[in-house]
Amino acid sequence: MQAPTLLALSLLVTLSPPVAAATALERQFELIVDVDAEQRWQRSDKKYGEQWSKSTTQQRYEILTRLRADPELQVRNLLDPDLDTRLEAKTIHLARSAKKMLDASGKPIRIPATPQEQAALMRRMQLDQVACKAAPACEFGVNLQYAAIFAAMQYPEALEEDTVPGRYMYFLRYPGCPSRARVTLTMNIEGVRYNKTVDKLVPFSEQRSADTLDNFEELLLCSHYTAVIDTADPQRPLYLENVHIPRPLGETVYTERGGTVRRNESQPMPSAVLEWVSANLQHAATAGSISGEVPLVLPLNGNSTILGTSTGIAKVKMSWRFSEPGTPPAR
């Protein structure tokens, strides 16, 4: 078994211990996204002619969750646009967070100094992982302990105190964070395509719908979010990672040749829209709104198994706010 890579270590940032509520700064993230899209699909077939469809959809996503930060300012940006800088910041944060937890548990970190000690560390890690017998709480502790050690091995300065003033605040998930997601969606697809059973082109239609309100408990939603506030940037202080929008469960009704099939299944948000939302919130003001048109080259219903060409535009409106809980809406 190899030691965790720097990328793997960066992914373990969510293992860091939650900030104590007594000292935490809490912020609420609110996001609303409206989508109005139209798309055409076509496929030319020498034997059967043109297959085509026209799709329209209206979707609305409302996300609310909370994150907490230690009031101590940090020197490094946990979500720095530069990948190497970001991974270094995450690794150092992980090592320091784990050190605090392990010191409190009476198991302080000791960094292997020789190849023999490093080999012994790897063997001990393997034995500890096996001893967990797949118990989640045990694996959490083992992963945290060894991730911190390997982080400190890669960055010895990780456990040293910074000598320059900090400017960044890390907002992370915490147990019991209140979270809510409301999604409404309608989609209509009509067209003509080849049916193998009758060996000819036939009309078809597909309707999708969803209207869900989910109250998430514990870490089911806020664990997908990490935010950083740059206190030295009054214009665009917010850095946001992993804009996560749950896919709602809804109904799909497919009709062809007089037969109808109904299915309950998760309904897709256009991937290009999610990419657009994430890109605009990667570095932004703490509150704002924006609209734009997003090209759609993948099918709106998420079915990319049928060959052909899809073209269309999604008109998107988005508003967001990262503020203290209870802040009155902006007027």
Side-chain angles (χ1 to χ4, degrees):
M1 181 180 297
Q2 296 180 342
T5 64
L6 184 57
L7 178 58
L9 287 170
S10 75
L11 298 177
L12 288 171
V13 69
T14 55
L15 291 177
S16 57
V19 178
T23 61
L25 295 177
E26 193 164 305
R27 294 293 182 268
Q28 184 164 286
F29 176 63
E30 301 167 77
L31 174 66
I32 299 176
V33 181
D34 288 296
V35 181
D36 188 351
E38 184 173 315
Q39 184 182 61
R40 289 193 66 87
W41 168 82
Q42 62 182 37
R43 179 182 178 184
S44 298
D45 188 287
K46 293 182 180 180
K47 182 177 181 180
Y48 297 105
E50 291 290 327
Q51 302 179 61
W52 62 272
S53 69
K54 179 180 179 180
S55 308
T56 58
T57 186
Q58 290 77 43
Q59 305 177 13
R60 182 178 176 89
Y61 301 85
E62 302 175 49
I63 304 297
L64 182 149
T65 192
R66 292 187 186 180
L67 303 170
R68 282 179 181 166
D70 190 307
E72 179 182 358
L73 296 180
Q74 305 296 323
V75 172
R76 299 163 188 83
N77 185 351
L78 200 63
L79 301 179
D80 194 284
D82 179 76
L83 178 60
D84 291 337
T85 303
R86 182 164 71 250
L87 294 184
E88 178 183 5
K90 287 188 174 184
T91 303
I92 291 174
H93 170 66
L94 170 64
R96 291 181 177 177
S97 298
K99 182 179 184 299
K100 290 180 182 179
M101 178 179 287
L102 295 171
D103 286 349
S105 69
K107 299 178 181 179
I109 292 177
R110 181 180 181 277
I111 308 302
T114 67
Q116 292 78 13
E117 289 181 345
Q118 293 175 7
L121 174 69
M122 295 300 297
R123 290 193 296 271
R124 189 166 70 251
M125 180 178 69
Q126 293 176 349
L127 292 175
D128 287 347
Q129 289 173 334
V130 171
C132 280
K133 297 182 179 179
C138 178
E139 290 182 340
F140 175 95
V142 169
N143 288 337
L144 184 62
Q145 178 180 353
Y146 287 100
I149 294 173
F150 287 117
M153 288 170 60
Q154 290 184 313
Y155 284 95
E157 69 274 21
L159 302 182
E160 299 176 2
E161 295 297 327
D162 293 311
T163 58
V164 296
R167 57 187 278 186
Y168 300 102
M169 301 187 69
Y170 301 167
F171 285 88
L172 308 172
R173 92 299 183 260
Y174 64 92
C177 57
S179 301
R180 186 175 72 245
R182 172 75 186 271
V183 181
T184 56
L185 176 151
T186 60
M187 184 182 301
N188 182 68
I189 304 174
E190 295 182 343
V192 173
R193 69 184 182 195
Y194 174 70
N195 181 288
K196 186 177 180 179
T197 302
V198 296
D199 194 30
K200 66 178 182 181
L201 297 180
V202 297
F204 76 95
S205 67
E206 181 178 323
Q207 284 80 40
R208 291 173 176 257
S209 61
D211 189 347
T212 64
L213 174 61
D214 295 315
N215 290 296
F216 293 87
E217 297 178 356
E218 296 298 326
L219 305 180
L220 293 182
L221 184 57
C222 70
S223 63
H224 292 277
Y225 285 88
T226 298
V228 170
I229 290 294
D230 181 358
T231 61
D233 184 351
Q235 301 300 319
R236 298 168 65 202
L238 174 64
Y239 291 82
L240 193 66
E241 184 179 55
N242 297 335
V243 175
H244 175 75
I245 298 180
R247 294 181 62 160
L249 184 66
E251 184 180 51
T252 298
V253 181
Y254 184 84
T255 301
E256 185 179 301
R257 298 174 54 224
T260 297
V261 177
R262 298 177 181 270
R263 299 189 304 272
N264 287 321
E265 58 186 0
S266 64
Q267 303 297 335
M269 180 186 203
S271 57
V273 172
L274 182 57
E275 292 172 3
W276 182 88
V277 170
S278 298
N280 280 285
L281 290 178
Q282 191 173 29
H283 185 197
T286 52
S289 60
I290 190 174
S291 60
E293 294 188 348
V294 180
L296 300 173
V297 297
L298 297 177
L300 276 175
N301 64 0
N303 184 1
S304 298
T305 62
I306 300 177
L307 299 178
T309 301
S310 295
T311 57
I313 292 291
K315 296 180 180 179
V316 187
K317 296 180 180 179
M318 175 178 73
S319 61
W320 72 93
R321 186 172 62 164
F322 190 79
S323 60
E324 295 185 22
T327 301
R331 296 184 181 274

